[in-house]
Amino acid sequence: MAARVNHFALRSLERVSMPVRFDRQGARVLLLEPFYGGSHKQLLDLLAEHLDADAAVFTLPAKKWHWRARTSALYFSRSVPPDPAYGVLFCSSVLNLCELAALRPDLARLKKVLYFHENQLAYPVRKEQHRDFQYGYNQILSCLVADEVVFNSAFNMESFLSSVGAFLHKIPERRPPGDVASLIRPKCRALYFPLRLADAVRTPTEAEEDVAAADAKAKADTERDAPARPLHIVWPHRWEHDKNPELFFSTVLKLKEEGLDFRLSVLGESFAEAPEAFSRCRPLLDAHVLHWGFAESREHFLGILRRADVAVSTACHEFFGVAMLEAAHCGCYPLCPKALVYPEIFPAECLYATPPQLLKRLRQFCRRPARARALRVDTSRFSWDVLKGEYRTLLSPRRRDETTEPLGARAEAAGREEGRSVLPC
């Protein structure tokens, strides 16, 4: 029997910031992840654990993202041993798949699946002139050599494809002729990020802990749905500028100034240079805070979500939003911008169009918390149980009668038949 991936070892290696390597002789699926953290780690672990095909797993720790994007292809080309059993290569778009295919012709012949958690063409930067052209360009090249290109949402896919032309127009001269996006689109699809929803069920023990925490902090009523218990607001995002913590904190400080009662949990991972708003606002909100900072385990993270009433996003960019969907599944009312991916995944009543609308909605919930506690969003279409069949098909090797000619080459041929200019004259 083929060996399976040791997931305890995966977690242990990640904690000590070492590359994860499980070389399984005879494995049919090669899983590569240059940035093994967050949603990238969640997806890779889920695929390795649940897919029928045995998987060989190679990763790098989630540090120094820019260097991972620049150099991981060379690292994997030297670290992944040849194995004739491989039929499928799966990687995230952090990896420069074009470079890896050139460095390793044996891997270039596999069915190559490229997965976009985010795309660099639509990723927000404070000033456009600060955008590093190379990262987006690498993703375009990776799409051209991939056989299948998968995005975690339709918004992610369309924001990428619709930006290819304008992005390549930044090249000062000798731009690639023809419509490059038309070569990529035929092999693109949106396939939602699969969530583990079975472990997000509120337990009686957690309900008791919820009561104890509320009593200690607010002397609130012991019943979860009692009007006397203050509204519990959670912000479950990375501590970075693209999540717009400034808007969130300015909003909850206005709630405080109006004398409204609420409790607050600020979750998410912080980095060396967290936005100044976190340190400035923490003492101002101290009387309202139940939890502040990164949850030490997934169980702790889900426990806080299960105890909260409203989860707020103020993001300037979001291509899927794992944390908000997990919060919704745990019973939180998801309050999100009417933009980005959110209209694709949440009902209209959960969306706000302006900062004043966000303040108004939270003000209403503070005054009548039961309104927030009444809504339940159906998240089942994002569950692994629903999506696993599509992922298994995605990672199935080519049939023997299928051509091994790259899809990019086939798209070029189709373009020539239609009279489009796709190659230099």
Side-chain angles (χ1 to χ4, degrees), residues 174-235:
R174 300 293 180 181
R175 302 184 186 101
D179 182 3
V180 175
S182 69
L183 305 179
I184 299 172
R185 185 176 285 277
K187 36 186 177 174
C188 291
R189 61 182 294 199
L191 180 57
Y192 288 129
F193 183 98
L195 300 178
R196 295 176 184 264
L197 299 180
D199 58 356
V201 178
R202 184 173 166 83
T203 66
T205 300
E206 287 169 340
E208 294 169 3
E209 291 172 353
D210 185 17
V211 169
D215 282 344
K217 193 73 176 178
K219 301 184 183 303
D221 197 288
T222 57
E223 292 294 328
R224 175 171 174 79
D225 290 325
R229 189 176 69 82
L231 184 76
H232 183 175
I233 303 169
V234 63
W235 193 84

Side-chain angles (χ1 to χ4, degrees), residues 60-222:
L60 285 168
K63 291 184 176 183
K64 298 179 173 61
W65 178 91
H66 298 86
W67 284 107
R68 297 289 185 257
R70 292 183 182 116
T71 66
S72 58
L74 179 59
Y75 175 85
F76 286 131
S77 75
R78 304 288 295 172
S79 303
V80 177
D83 190 333
Y86 291 149
V88 180
L89 187 161
F90 176 94
C91 64
S92 76
S93 61
V94 177
L95 176 66
N96 188 329
L97 183 58
C98 185
E99 287 183 347
L100 181 64
L103 292 166
R104 287 288 299 272
D106 59 317
L107 300 182
R109 290 190 289 270
L110 305 181
K111 175 184 174 182
K112 298 173 292 298
V113 180
L114 183 68
Y115 191 91
F116 276 78
H117 294 267
E118 58 278 314
N119 79 75
Q120 291 301 307
L121 304 193
Y123 200 94
V125 291
R126 292 191 169 185
K127 294 183 178 180
E128 187 60 30
Q129 59 267 35
H130 293 166
R131 186 183 300 278
D132 192 317
F133 180 84
Q134 195 64 43
Y135 299 128
Y137 186 67
N138 289 350
Q139 289 188 331
I140 292 172
L141 294 181
S142 293
C143 288
L144 290 171
V145 301
D147 296 295
E148 297 201 38
V149 182
V150 183
F151 295 82
N152 57 5
S153 67
F155 167 75
N156 192 1
M157 181 175 72
E158 292 303 329
S159 66
F160 179 82
L161 291 171
S162 64
S163 300
V164 169
F167 185 83
L168 293 177
H169 195 73
K170 295 178 182 179
I171 301 173
E173 60 175 350
R174 300 293 180 181
R175 302 184 186 101
D179 182 3
V180 175
S182 69
L183 305 179
I184 299 172
R185 185 176 285 277
K187 36 186 177 174
C188 291
R189 61 182 294 199
L191 180 57
Y192 288 129
F193 183 98
L195 300 178
R196 295 176 184 264
L197 299 180
D199 58 356
V201 178
R202 184 173 166 83
T203 66
T205 300
E206 287 169 340
E208 294 169 3
E209 291 172 353
D210 185 17
V211 169
D215 282 344
K217 193 73 176 178
K219 301 184 183 303
D221 197 288
T222 57

Side-chain angles (χ1 to χ4, degrees), residues 216-254:
K217 193 73 176 178
K219 301 184 183 303
D221 197 288
T222 57
E223 292 294 328
R224 175 171 174 79
D225 290 325
R229 189 176 69 82
L231 184 76
H232 183 175
I233 303 169
V234 63
W235 193 84
H237 309 283
R238 285 182 288 105
W239 291 20
E240 293 190 300
H241 288 288
D242 64 289
K243 300 303 181 183
N244 202 0
E246 293 81 5
L247 173 58
F248 175 74
F249 287 125
S250 68
T251 302
V252 294
L253 284 171
K254 288 175 183 175

Side-chain angles (χ1 to χ4, degrees), residues 281-332:
C281 297
R282 174 65 173 88
L284 300 177
L285 293 165
D286 186 66
H288 299 270
V289 172
L290 290 177
H291 181 91
W292 190 276
F294 188 67
E296 63 267 19
S297 68
R298 175 168 172 80
E299 291 72 23
H300 187 202
F301 172 76
L302 291 174
I304 294 170
L305 294 183
R306 285 187 283 256
R307 298 178 184 109
D309 301 309
V310 178
V312 176
S313 170
T314 48
C316 301
H317 114 269
E318 192 64 79
F319 293 114
F320 183 67
V322 172
M324 289 300 293
L325 276 166
E326 289 179 331
H329 183 75
C330 288
C332 293

